[in-house]
Amino acid sequence: MKSITIATPFFNEEEGLDNFFSTLKKINELLKNLIDVKYLFIDDGSIDKTKSKLIEFKNANQNLDIKIFFHKTNKGYGKTLQNSIILSETDFLITYDSDCTYDYRLIEKLIKMIQTDKADIINVSYKLAQKEMDVSYLRKILSWGSSLVYKTIFPEIKKYNISVLTCSFRIYDINKIKHIELKSNDFNCCAELLIKSMKKKLIITEIAGENIGRKFGESKMKILRNIFNTLKTIILIKLD
């Protein structure tokens, strides 16, 4: 049986953890006869009760194969993605955020597709779902603008016809991306990894997935900082 790591980053997510833990148990039930599942929790320097609640959940659920990795300080989303890749010792990796903004049942579809379609990466696109995202108008503008800039500068994106670059919900053939070096420390790491994978001519496909928005807590994305980091990431990719 093939194996998969489902990696989730956390930064001050105390408010929404009960919902995440409930979802995780549903995921485990969904996949128990499909694939060998390991869970990787990466706490990115939380200062609330996230750390203690993660440990408590692991101890109370010994039937789940859970590894917890802690950053002493907040290092950013990019570092959690880098460590998710480094620490995964399975055939595949799925990155699934603790806010559960995408239907967890898509995970089963991703696992079946990456094995039957022989893809290296399968991206989840809210644009293909053709449903309105439950986020602020400013966030929508930011997402649209960053995608436009990336597509203008990197011709590889048009060749692959990928509609969303910054979504973190994806499945990877871990051996195909292990040696890709990431330099972005924020959410732009998702675009960086996808673009560098395109440059290596990996097989990348995309499926529709509705973004239903957060039910608990607030997004950690800082708008102005993200705009700056988008430009910084573009320069880093060009210089690589």
Side-chain angles (χ1 to χ4, degrees):
M1 183 179 288
K2 294 284 188 177
S3 58
I4 190 164
T5 297
I6 299 179
T8 303
F10 302 86
F11 178 58
N12 295 339
E13 298 290 352
E14 177 186 354
E15 184 181 348
L17 283 181
D18 288 342
N19 178 65
F20 171 75
F21 293 150
S22 175
T23 302
L24 192 68
K25 290 179 179 179
K26 294 175 184 176
I27 292 171
N28 197 67
E29 185 67 21
L30 182 70
L31 304 181
K32 65 180 182 180
N33 296 319
L34 178 65
I35 196 167
D36 180 28
V37 185
K38 301 181 185 300
Y39 301 96
L40 175 62
F41 298 165
I42 300 184
D43 180 74
D44 192 23
S46 296
I47 56 175
D48 61 1
K49 294 181 180 179
T50 296
K51 180 178 179 179
S52 60
K53 293 192 74 171
L54 292 177
I55 295 172
E56 180 183 329
F57 179 78
K58 176 182 178 179
N59 292 338
N61 294 272
Q62 295 294 323
N63 60 310
L64 302 179
D65 189 342
I66 300 173
K67 180 190 295 183
I68 308 178
F69 187 81
F70 300 102
H71 293 165
K72 291 183 179 179
T73 58
N74 180 245
K75 296 185 179 297
Y77 195 92
K79 194 64 177 178
T80 66
L81 179 57
Q82 291 173 45
N83 282 331
S84 295
I85 297 170
I86 292 168
L87 295 170
S88 293
E89 299 176 341
T90 51
D91 298 298
F92 306 111
L93 166 68
I94 279 183
T95 46
Y96 186 71
D97 289 349
S98 64
D99 53 19
C100 304
T101 54
Y102 288 89
D103 188 341
Y104 71 89
R105 288 170 293 189
L106 284 170
I107 291 175
E108 181 182 22
K109 182 176 182 179
L110 290 170
I111 292 170
K112 289 180 178 179
M113 281 187 65
I114 201 166
Q115 295 185 79
T116 58
D117 295 358
K118 305 301 181 184
D120 299 319
I121 301 173
I122 303 176
N123 193 50
V124 177
S125 169
Y126 66 85
K127 290 184 179 179
L128 292 182
Q130 297 183 336
K131 293 186 178 181
E132 196 72 15
M133 278 200 306
D134 185 19
V135 297
S136 70
Y137 188 70
L138 188 57
R139 280 288 302 277
K140 292 177 185 177
I141 292 293
L142 177 63
S143 177
W144 175 83
S146 62
S147 293
L148 179 62
V149 172
Y150 278 122
K151 289 177 181 179
T152 301
I153 294 176
F154 298 104
E156 295 87 354
I157 299 172
K158 290 183 179 179
K159 293 179 183 178
Y160 276 87
N161 196 30
I162 298 296
S163 63
V164 174
L165 299 171
T166 55
C167 178
S168 60
F169 186 24
R170 295 176 188 152
I171 188 168
Y172 304 91
D173 181 330
I174 196 69
N175 290 321
K176 297 296 182 66
I177 62 168
K178 274 283 189 182
H179 303 295
I180 296 178
E181 183 182 1
L182 298 178
K183 298 181 179 180
S184 173
N185 284 331
D186 73 336
F187 292 92
N188 283 284
C189 65
C190 299
E192 180 185 3
L193 180 52
L194 208 58
I195 293 167
K196 288 184 174 179
S197 297
M198 291 174 181
K199 287 179 176 292
K200 289 182 174 292
K201 296 181 171 55
L202 297 188
I203 301 170
I204 306 170
T205 59
E206 194 171 53
I207 65 169
E210 181 185 0
N211 186 320
I212 57 178
R214 273 179 171 262
K215 295 180 180 178
F216 303 92
E218 296 179 353
S219 171
K220 307 303 185 297
M221 183 183 291
K222 305 299 181 184
I223 303 297
L224 293 178
R225 184 182 300 174
N226 186 266
I227 293 172
F228 171 79
N229 284 335
T230 297
L231 300 175
K232 178 181 176 181
T233 300
I234 288 170
I235 293 171
L236 290 173
I237 296 173
K238 281 290 188 181
L239 294 176
D240 193 17

